[in-house]
């Protein structure tokens, strides 16, 4: 892989040391060009001109096919969404719940996973069981703790494939096998996995898998998808409905629900330019090869851990086991704890002092993870060893 050539295609890298792909990735030029080209085309003809309408329908299907090809699924198992959170809510809101049913999750989840579960608890009187994965240092330990949380009342596991807090990579295939032996489906939050590492729905045996287009895929914000295994589609009811949720209807009071097709989850108007950008992002990544990018991410993240671990006062929060580690590297610096939250000020408006220091000192884009707590680096394939050295240098220059 010619990293210099790849980096020249990502404009943000000329101005910043970008280590926050786990929040939102910097898009390559082909993605931007695809968005602009589609936008120009629609504007030049008008959004409902027949050629534009036909092109949009084709583009929607191309996006569905691109996602399916990337994750080892069929297009008939992919519904397009705005983000991971929407996909998670489609499943949680589409299952049939009874009071006393249980969902198992973990204490390392993103708010987009745990908060919908808490609302499910309020609305449907479902119990939320939280497995403690802190300090789980082997795949066997992860499996043991999740298995201990399962009961005869468990109806669903809701888990991140890669934990946004520490980068912990869950053994997805083994978890799916465990859950299936208990007759329990698994809803995967794939916000930090797709584009980050190779995934294949059939090899992993996944049931539900919600993913974004804007993180490790380097696509535009406002794009995403949900995989639902083909045989599970009829069991999942659309929590929000539009015309596609009906197989047929009239104005005499008759309606036949669309139960079989995954398009029942899709509402009305979406953005053609954004879908064009998502397709271009997937093609960009596939041209590089997901195995190639993952291999480079792992090598760079191991180097990042080694360099940071040698720095005085730094402790590594992310897992060190090779089967659990990813490109998300979270670390803590002694004397650089979080500041008290100012009343009425959101975390977005009050960045962590060390994160601010990294930006001001080195134009380094990173983020603070309060639940861990620590600074999280999203080490991507486009990063370099020289950038890692600069990160360590700036961390060590933080006034304590």
């Amino acid at each position: 892989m010619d990293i210099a050539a790849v980096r020249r295609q990502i404009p943000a890298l000329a101005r910043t040391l970008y280590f926050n792909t786990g929040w939102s990735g910097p898009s390559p030029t082909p993605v931007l060009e695809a968005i602009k080209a589609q936008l120009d085309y629609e504007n030049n003809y008008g959004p409902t001109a027949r050629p534009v309408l036909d092109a949009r329908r084709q583009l929607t299907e191309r996006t569905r096919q691109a996602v399916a090809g990337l994750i080892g699924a069929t297009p008939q198992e992919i519904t397009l969404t705005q983000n991971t959170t929407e996909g998670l809510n489609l499943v949680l809101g589409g299952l049939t719940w009874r009071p006393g049913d249980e969902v198992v999750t973990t204490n390392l989840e993103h708010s987009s996973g745990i908060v919908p579960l808490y609302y499910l608890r309020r609305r449907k009187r479902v119990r939320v069981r939280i497995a403690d994965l802190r300090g789980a240092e082997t795949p066997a330990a992860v499996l043991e703790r999740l298995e201990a949380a399962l009961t005869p009342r468990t109806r669903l596991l809701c888990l991140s494939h890669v934990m946004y807090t520490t980068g912990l990579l869950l053994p997805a295939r083994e978890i799916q096998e465990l859950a299936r032996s208990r007759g329990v489906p698994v809803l995967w939050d794939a916000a930090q996995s797709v584009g980050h590492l190779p995934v294949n729905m059939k090899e992993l045996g996944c049931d539900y898998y919600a993913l974004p287009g804007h993180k490790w895929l380097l696509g535009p914000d406002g794009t995403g998808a949900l995989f639902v295994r083909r045989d599970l589609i009829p069991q999942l009811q659309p929590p929000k409905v539009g015309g596609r949720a009906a197989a047929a209807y009239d104005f005499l009071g008759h309606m036949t629900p669309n139960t079989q097709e995954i398009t029942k989850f899709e509402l009305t108007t979406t953005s053609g330019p954004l879908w064009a950008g998502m397709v271009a992002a997937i093609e960009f990544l596939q041209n590089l090869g997901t195995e190639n990018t993952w291999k480079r991410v792992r090598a760079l993240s191991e180097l990042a851990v080694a360099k940071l671990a040698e720095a005085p006062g730094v402790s590594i929060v992310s897992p060190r086991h090779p089967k659990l580690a990813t490109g998300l590297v979270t670390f803590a610096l002694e004397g650089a704890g979080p500041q008290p939250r100012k009343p009425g000020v959101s975390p977005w408006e009050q960045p962590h002092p060390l994160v601010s220091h990294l930006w001001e000192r080195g134009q380094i884009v990173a983020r603070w993870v309060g639940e861990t707590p620590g600074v999280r680096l999203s080490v991507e394939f486009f990063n370099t060893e020289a950038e890692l050295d600069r990160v360590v240098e700036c961390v060590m220059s933080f006034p304590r």
Side-chain angles (χ1 to χ4, degrees), residues 300-314:
L300 284 172
S301 60
E302 288 174 5
L303 185 60
V305 168
K307 288 178 178 292
L308 287 165
E310 293 176 355
V314 171

Side-chain angles (χ1 to χ4, degrees), residues 93-116:
L95 291 171
T96 301
W97 299 98
R98 298 179 298 274
D101 285 343
E102 295 181 354
V103 180
V104 170
T105 188
T106 81
N107 60 345
L108 295 177
E109 302 297 327
H110 192 275
S111 59
S112 292
I114 193 66
V115 172

Side-chain angles (χ1 to χ4, degrees), residues 27-225:
S27 289
T29 300
V31 174
L32 307 177
E33 291 175 344
I35 294 171
K36 292 175 183 176
Q38 182 65 23
L39 187 60
D40 286 342
Y41 177 68
E42 294 186 8
N43 281 335
N44 288 337
Y45 284 88
T48 62
R50 177 52 54 187
V52 174
L53 289 177
D54 290 342
R56 270 205 186 182
R57 292 190 187 98
Q58 295 170 9
L59 183 56
T60 300
E61 293 313 305
R62 277 186 62 203
T63 309
R64 207 186 304 276
Q65 292 166 5
V67 173
L70 180 68
I71 66 172
T74 66
Q76 294 74 30
E77 296 172 305
I78 302 296
T79 185
L80 302 179
T81 64
Q82 296 183 65
N83 45 53
T84 307
T85 310
E86 182 181 0
L88 296 175
N89 276 276
L90 285 176
V91 177
L92 294 176
L95 291 171
T96 301
W97 299 98
R98 298 179 298 274
D101 285 343
E102 295 181 354
V103 180
V104 170
T105 188
T106 81
N107 60 345
L108 295 177
E109 302 297 327
H110 192 275
S111 59
S112 292
I114 193 66
V115 172
L117 290 180
Y118 288 154
Y119 267 83
L120 187 67
R121 183 178 63 187
R122 289 167 61 94
R123 292 168 175 166
K124 302 293 184 178
R125 290 187 287 166
V126 170
R127 183 179 181 187
V128 179
R129 294 177 62 87
I130 301 175
D132 182 4
L133 293 189
R134 294 182 188 274
E137 297 180 352
T138 65
V142 171
L143 283 168
E144 181 181 346
R145 296 189 190 188
L146 289 175
E147 185 172 17
L150 298 175
T151 78
R153 303 300 301 269
T154 305
R155 285 285 320 285
L156 181 74
L157 274 78
C158 186
L159 308 169
S160 292
H161 193 172
V162 175
M163 298 297 173
Y164 95 105
T165 42
T166 66
L168 171 68
L169 172 61
L170 296 193
R173 186 176 60 186
E174 292 82 355
I175 290 171
Q176 279 285 169
E177 290 172 353
L178 169 64
R180 190 154 295 129
S181 71
R182 302 291 188 88
V184 177
V186 185
L187 169 58
W188 292 98
D189 177 339
Q192 300 297 338
S193 56
V194 173
H196 184 174
L197 60 144
V199 298
N200 185 291
M201 296 298 96
K202 290 181 175 55
E203 290 179 4
L204 297 176
C206 290
D207 301 310
Y208 310 106
Y209 204 77
L211 63 100
H214 69 281
K215 294 181 185 286
W216 299 85
L217 283 180
L218 309 183
D221 289 349
T223 58

Side-chain angles (χ1 to χ4, degrees), residues 1 6 9 283-293 381:
M1 187 188 309
V6 171
Q9 296 184 76
E283 291 175 346
F284 181 85
L285 183 65
Q286 288 178 318
N287 286 336
L288 296 176
T290 53
E291 292 287 351
N292 295 331
T293 56
F381 65 86

